């Protein structure tokens, strides 16, 4: 019983926390993508007169940053969650200390095949 609960907890932590953290970090870094192509009116660019980028108002700029951050963060979260789950099931049976985490999955595979 304890091993099943511990295994589910470890899977949850690995899949969700790592995926969420990487999704959040890359999502926040992706806001720089918006600033690469767009700018707002400010005194630095003489209220848009000397801007070399497309000028948008502050509300549109913040909305674009938010949308890009959420979309890219979600994509990274999904990719990491799927990839990490696949890699965990491949790597864990090789090591004696982590073999118990995937024993039930292997039993289910054997029952489905046989």
């Amino acid at each position: 019983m304890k091993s099943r609960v511990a295994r589910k907890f470890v899977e949850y932590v690995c899949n969700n926390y790592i995926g969420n953290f990487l999704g959040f970090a890359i999502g926040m870094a992706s806001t720089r993508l918006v600033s690469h192509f767009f700018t707002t009116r400010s005194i630095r660019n003489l209220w848009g007169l000397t801007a070399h980028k497309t000028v948008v108002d502050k509300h549109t700029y913040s909305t674009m940053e938010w949308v890009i951050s959420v979309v890219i963060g979600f994509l990274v979260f999904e990719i990491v969650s799927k990839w990490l789950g696949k890699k965990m099931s491949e790597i864990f049976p090789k090591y004696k200390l982590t073999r118990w985490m995937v024993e039930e999955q292997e039993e289910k595979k054997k029952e489905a095949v046989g």
Side-chain angles (χ1 to χ4, degrees):
M1 179 73 173
K2 284 186 178 181
S3 66
R4 174 183 274 169
V5 172
R7 180 175 42 91
K8 291 293 181 185
F9 178 73
V10 169
E11 286 178 11
Y12 177 78
V13 168
C14 288
N15 288 336
N16 289 327
Y17 287 139
I18 292 173
N20 283 342
F21 175 72
L22 287 175
F24 174 76
I26 292 179
M28 292 305 293
S30 67
T31 59
R32 187 103 169 120
L33 184 67
V34 173
S35 67
H36 183 71
F37 294 106
F38 300 99
T39 188
T40 59
R41 292 184 177 127
S42 67
I43 196 157
R44 290 186 314 194
N45 59 16
L46 296 176
W47 291 274
L49 295 176
T50 62
H52 297 287
K53 303 173 189 175
T54 304
V55 178
V56 294
D57 65 351
K58 290 182 181 185
H59 178 59
T60 305
Y61 187 81
S62 64
T63 303
M64 285 191 306
E65 279 184 330
W66 183 81
V67 168
I68 293 292
S69 168
V70 167
V71 168
I72 291 177
F74 177 74
L75 290 174
V76 168
F77 166 71
E78 285 298 317
I79 290 169
V80 166
S81 294
K82 303 295 185 210
W83 178 79
L84 191 62
K86 183 179 167 184
K87 285 295 183 186
M88 281 176 53
S89 65
E90 291 174 4
I91 293 173
F92 279 172
K94 295 178 184 177
Y95 302 107
K96 187 176 182 179
L97 294 174
T98 57
R99 194 173 297 144
W100 59 271
M101 292 182 191
V102 292
E103 285 177 354
E104 185 177 309
Q105 293 173 357
E106 290 176 356
E107 289 174 10
K108 286 181 183 179
K109 287 179 185 177
K110 288 178 184 177
E111 289 174 4
V113 172

